[in-house]
Amino acid sequence: MSTYQLDTSTSRATPTPQPMKRLTVPRIRARKKDGVTQEPLVMLTAYTARQAQLLDAHCDLLLVGDSLAQVIYGLPSTVPVTLEMMANHAAAVVRGSYHPVVVVDMPFGSYEQSPQQAFESAAMLMKASGAAGVKLEGGEAMAETVRFLSQRGIPVMGHVGLTPQAVNVLGGYMARGRSDAEADKIVGDARALDEAGAFAIVIEGVVEPIAIAATKAVSAPTIGIGASAQCDGQVLVTDDMLGMFERVPRFVKKYGDLAQTISDTAARYAAEVRDRSFPGEDQTYQPKD
């Protein structure tokens, strides 16, 4: 699939070809050498072509996350997300970027039944979008599936700790790893995914000492979200980081207040429409002399 950079100087976002300059999964994996990542990996979520274009130069990876359930569609959880939704948004992100590795979440119900089901779902996502890999949730229980996919040419990013697709089993979005048994399981899950061939592992919502222990226990880079700065990289939901929502998880740092900017800008537009100062001379077509 060809990769495009959007030309935003046109009145419409017309795709224009750009050279392929993407990072690759092996290069991401190789950033961790002898258990150490000198330059942490930067990952953010993206759901649209324009968003991907704006993030492109700053990220090593773009995650087309099933968090689009809440961010884009206003759903109460990630559970209702479909393969078709993920494929469509992933294709837009691939078209809007050319530098980062694009990884797409496999939605709930599309991979848990068997490795064969997971392969069919992952192959569909990659064919339809051009993404470089998939991400799936679960630890030791999913190791066989991760190995099955990896051996068949599908790069897999793992995800341990707080796994949002399992929110109904976990009973909520609280931090994980507070008990010895749970802490041991998280580290064991990370090891199992690493040994199965995951090229990277997201560690979400885990108490910091356990996130550090899991990072040291695996050869694959770990990417923290609500974990530790000692992970090999970090990821946030872009809309949370930009300040699009008032309520965000504790682990989010708001680097902007885009919601207020949008509200203020819309208010200015509304006022100018109502007092008839917009459109003005610069925005209207006048007869030629």
Side-chain angles (χ1 to χ4, degrees):
M1 178 176 290
S2 298
T3 301
Y4 295 96
Q5 181 78 348
L6 298 187
D7 180 2
T8 56
S9 66
T10 62
S11 59
R12 298 174 181 84
T14 305
T16 55
Q18 291 291 327
M20 178 69 79
K21 297 180 180 178
R22 283 200 189 274
L23 290 170
T24 64
V25 165
R27 287 181 65 186
I28 294 296
R29 178 65 182 79
R31 289 277 284 273
K32 188 172 185 176
K33 297 179 181 178
D34 299 323
V36 178
T37 300
Q38 295 293 342
E39 183 181 355
L41 294 162
V42 177
M43 183 162 77
L44 284 169
T45 61
Y47 316 111
T48 67
R50 180 56 175 155
Q51 189 178 43
Q53 184 187 35
L54 293 171
L55 300 176
D56 190 280
H58 311 289
C59 295
D60 302 301
L61 303 107
L62 289 177
L63 173 65
V64 187
D66 57 3
S67 51
L68 60 79
Q70 295 101 325
V71 174
I72 302 294
Y73 292 98
L75 295 168
S77 74
T78 61
V79 172
V81 171
T82 66
L83 277 169
E84 289 72 22
M85 291 163 67
M86 297 307 304
N88 289 336
H89 285 275
V93 170
V94 170
R95 287 193 294 268
S97 63
Y98 68 90
H99 171 66
V101 169
V102 177
V103 178
V104 55
D105 265 335
M106 296 183 70
F108 177 76
S110 69
Y111 61 92
E112 296 92 338
Q113 184 177 13
S114 68
Q116 291 76 14
Q117 181 207 28
F119 179 82
E120 291 177 5
S121 298
M124 177 270 186
L125 286 174
M126 293 180 69
K127 284 183 177 182
S129 68
V134 299
K135 182 172 77 66
L136 54 79
E137 296 183 7
E140 186 175 357
M142 298 309 303
E144 179 186 357
T145 295
V146 171
R147 183 174 290 106
F148 188 89
L149 297 181
S150 299
Q151 290 175 345
R152 286 159 179 78
I154 297 179
V156 181
M157 177 180 288
H159 186 152
V160 301
L162 174 59
T163 48
Q165 291 178 9
V167 64
N168 292 319
V169 173
L170 297 175
Y173 293 99
M174 68 285 292
R176 318 306 299 182
R178 296 196 182 278
S179 70
D180 290 343
E182 195 172 56
D184 289 343
K185 184 179 186 307
I186 290 168
V187 175
D189 283 342
R191 283 198 181 104
L193 294 177
D194 187 42
E195 292 169 1
F199 76 88
I201 302 169
V202 170
I203 301 177
E204 178 172 359
V206 171
V207 294
E208 186 169 31
I210 307 309
I212 295 172
T215 296
K216 292 180 178 179
V218 299
S219 59
T222 62
I223 299 175
I225 176 169
S228 172
Q230 299 306 308
C231 291
D232 300 300
Q234 300 295 323
V235 63
L236 283 175
V237 172
T238 297
D239 297 71
D240 288 345
M241 180 268 294
L242 292 175
M244 286 290 286
F245 298 101
E246 293 180 8
R247 295 184 62 186
V248 296
R250 172 178 173 169
F251 54 73
V252 172
K253 180 177 179 178
K254 291 186 180 182
Y255 287 84
D257 192 359
L258 196 55
Q260 190 63 53
T261 298
I262 292 172
S263 180
D264 291 346
T265 303
R268 288 174 52 204
Y269 165 73
E272 291 187 9
V273 169
R274 290 173 179 135
D275 68 16
R276 298 187 185 277
S277 61
F278 175 83
E281 184 176 350
D282 290 343
Q283 293 87 37
T284 55
Y285 299 96
Q286 304 300 322
K288 293 182 179 180
D289 295 334

